[in-house]
Amino acid sequence: MERKTDRRSVKTRTAIKKAFSYLLEEKALHDITIKELTDLADIHRATFYSHYEDIYDLYRDFEHDIFEKLTFIFEDPSLTSYQSFYNALLDYMQDNPTLTKVLFLNPNETLDSPLLQNLMDYLVTACMNAWVEECDITEVPEKLEYFAYYRVHGIIAMMKHWVNSGYSMPLEELKKLVAGLDADVDSYMTLS
């Protein structure tokens, strides 16, 4: 569905997404109704349908917005190490509980949501690009590709567990754990 870009349309979509964000905090995606969403956003049902086909179309747009915000964070030039990269993601996750709901507590409770898959693909590519630069090589050897997938999927699984446990581990402790495990991966790579 093509999105309108005039100020009134942007304001309406913002109200819809704010209401949607609130509802995602309270319930699973498949339990959210258009009626409760439009009531909360204080708009008419027809207004909703002039912007979105259904609740899943809204969800895809919501995911797209989150991915854009994350890639903006990742493009920060001050993030010069893997640890600073993961710390920025963990900080953002803690400060934005809706993100974690969309990323890790999605309706089918898997690691294969489109948003999460896009995020993992982005991180794997960033990891391999960093190695190309650090090692002054033109192509990533197959072995390094495996390390990239291992590193990213492992850290994402830890983040999912952290969210599902209700943030039971303090953020700074989780950052130290991630840093230690990440350093172990780096040291294994140099030994191999």
Side-chain angles (χ1 to χ4, degrees), residues 44-94:
H44 292 282
R45 199 174 170 90
T47 302
F48 173 85
Y49 285 114
S50 71
H51 294 279
Y52 298 101
E53 293 174 13
D54 56 23
I55 205 79
Y56 297 99
D57 184 34
L58 169 59
Y59 183 75
R60 284 187 295 276
D61 192 38
F62 195 73
E63 279 189 331
H64 179 270
D65 289 352
I66 291 171
F67 188 71
E68 280 188 349
K69 288 175 190 170
L70 287 173
T71 54
F72 179 76
I73 289 169
F74 296 150
E75 291 168 2
D76 180 344
S78 71
L79 302 180
T80 57
S81 68
Y82 300 116
Q83 192 56 44
S84 62
F85 204 72
Y86 295 130
N87 286 350
L89 179 57
L90 288 165
D91 288 338
Y92 185 79
M93 288 171 59
Q94 185 170 44

Side-chain angles (χ1 to χ4, degrees), residues 69-127:
K69 288 175 190 170
L70 287 173
T71 54
F72 179 76
I73 289 169
F74 296 150
E75 291 168 2
D76 180 344
S78 71
L79 302 180
T80 57
S81 68
Y82 300 116
Q83 192 56 44
S84 62
F85 204 72
Y86 295 130
N87 286 350
L89 179 57
L90 288 165
D91 288 338
Y92 185 79
M93 288 171 59
Q94 185 170 44
D95 294 341
N96 296 278
T98 301
L99 165 77
T100 60
K101 177 83 171 179
V102 172
L103 272 177
F104 298 119
L105 303 176
N106 61 62
N108 50 2
E109 293 289 327
T110 66
L111 282 174
D112 62 358
S113 76
L115 175 61
L116 191 54
Q117 191 58 55
N118 287 340
L119 176 61
M120 289 190 296
D121 291 345
Y122 182 91
L123 293 173
V124 165
T125 300
C127 199

